[in-house]
Amino acid sequence: MSAGRRLVAALLGRTATTLTRAALEESAPGGQERWLRTNHRGEPVSMLEGPAVAAGVLAGAVTCAPDARAAAALALATGAGAAFGIVDDLGEDLEDRRKGLRGHLGALAHGKVTTGGLKVLGIGAGAVLAAAVATPVTHPDGRRRGAVGWSADVLASGALIAASANLVNLLDLRPGRALKATVLVTAPLALLPGRGGVAASAVVGAASAAADQDLAETDMLGDGGANALGAALGTALVLSGSRAVRLAALAAAVGLTVASEKVSFTSVIEATPVLRDIDRWGRRPVHTPVRPPATDG
């Protein structure tokens, strides 16, 4: 796949993200207030970055996809991540907030469908459909694959896409953290050969467009943006990676997700100097000093 196509995907991702965010600033669905949340400092922050980033990823990844199957897989995975993430962002019951997969799945087990539970089901279904579209039904030599082997690959790839979407969302707890982590993983994919290079390039472009406002703490990804980025990342891995790479990535994503139920990512990052420096790069100081009031003279 040509470097030019990947460059165009990155530029489209960046441009579409910027233009969509500007349009949403002028006319946000339901009004600006509906998209405001309080961040870790207790300050208001807008979640409009989320749909803008999702639009950027879709514009770059789908437009420049290497073939129709890759385009459809990316549209399904990223679209499901964005749509069900935004449903959770805007419809979450703030008086009964369920945390993590265990909380949402526990509610479903007791017959209660939360927006988080709906998100888990919706993104999972979109991930499996995307994996089914992306997984070839024939071997490179043209022989048709067995149903069992193909189905196993689809389920593993679908799990990777869904786990990636959830993992990026788990990282969206501090300004820039999810964007940095996503770019660190997708940048090599954007440079290496493989059908997922275009999707990775679009993710890098969209993330770069959102970085300034995210780090300035005026915008945040929210579930819609984080799930969309993660789903696109997972799909890029499915399109580019061998079976061994996909299984290793799935094991890492699942392991980190399980660990997050017991361990705080923020605590681990703050206790690790290299991770702490990367996490804080470009952000406002942890304790921003209050400017004293001006006095006459």
Side-chain angles (χ1 to χ4, degrees), residues 54 57-58 60-82 122-136 150 154 157-158 160-162 165 195-196 198-200 203 227-240 246:
V57 171
L58 285 169
V62 175
T63 302
C64 299
D67 52 64
R69 292 176 69 90
L74 288 161
L76 282 167
T78 307
I123 291 177
V128 172
L129 285 174
V133 171
T135 304
W150 181 82
V154 168
S157 294
L160 173 57
I161 294 170
R195 294 167 65 227
V198 161
V203 168
N227 287 143
L229 281 179
L233 165 58
T235 308
L237 284 167
V238 167
L239 291 170
S240 285
R246 285 181 277 120

Side-chain angles (χ1 to χ4, degrees), residues 110-140:
H110 287 87
K112 182 173 184 179
V113 180
T114 64
T115 55
L118 182 63
K119 180 181 71 172
V120 171
L121 296 175
I123 291 177
V128 172
L129 285 174
V133 171
T135 304
V137 296
T138 59
H139 294 286

Side-chain angles (χ1 to χ4, degrees), residues 174-201:
R174 291 294 184 273
R177 180 180 295 172
L179 293 175
K180 292 173 188 175
T182 302
V183 169
L184 284 173
V185 177
T186 51
L189 286 174
L191 299 174
L192 293 171
R195 294 167 65 227
V198 161
S201 300

Side-chain angles (χ1 to χ4, degrees), residues 236-259:
L237 284 167
V238 167
L239 291 170
S240 285
S242 64
R243 180 182 295 171
V245 169
R246 285 181 277 120
L247 291 176
L250 174 59
V254 171
L256 288 170
T257 300
V258 172

Side-chain angles (χ1 to χ4, degrees), residues 9 15 29 54 75-76 139 160 204 223 243 266 278 290-291:
T15 302
L76 282 167
H139 294 286
L160 173 57
V204 171
D223 287 8
R243 180 182 295 171
T266 297
I278 294 173
V290 179
R291 180 178 299 176

Side-chain angles (χ1 to χ4, degrees), residues 155-167:
L155 291 176
S157 294
L160 173 57
I161 294 170
S164 299
N166 183 63
L167 182 57

Side-chain angles (χ1 to χ4, degrees), residues 12 43 82 122 169 199 207:
L12 277 175
E43 299 173 351
N169 191 38

Side-chain angles (χ1 to χ4, degrees), residues 200-225:
S201 300
V203 168
V204 171
S208 68
D212 284 348
Q213 288 176 285
D214 200 297
L215 290 168
E217 303 185 28
T218 59
D219 274 9
M220 65 181 288
L221 284 168
D223 287 8

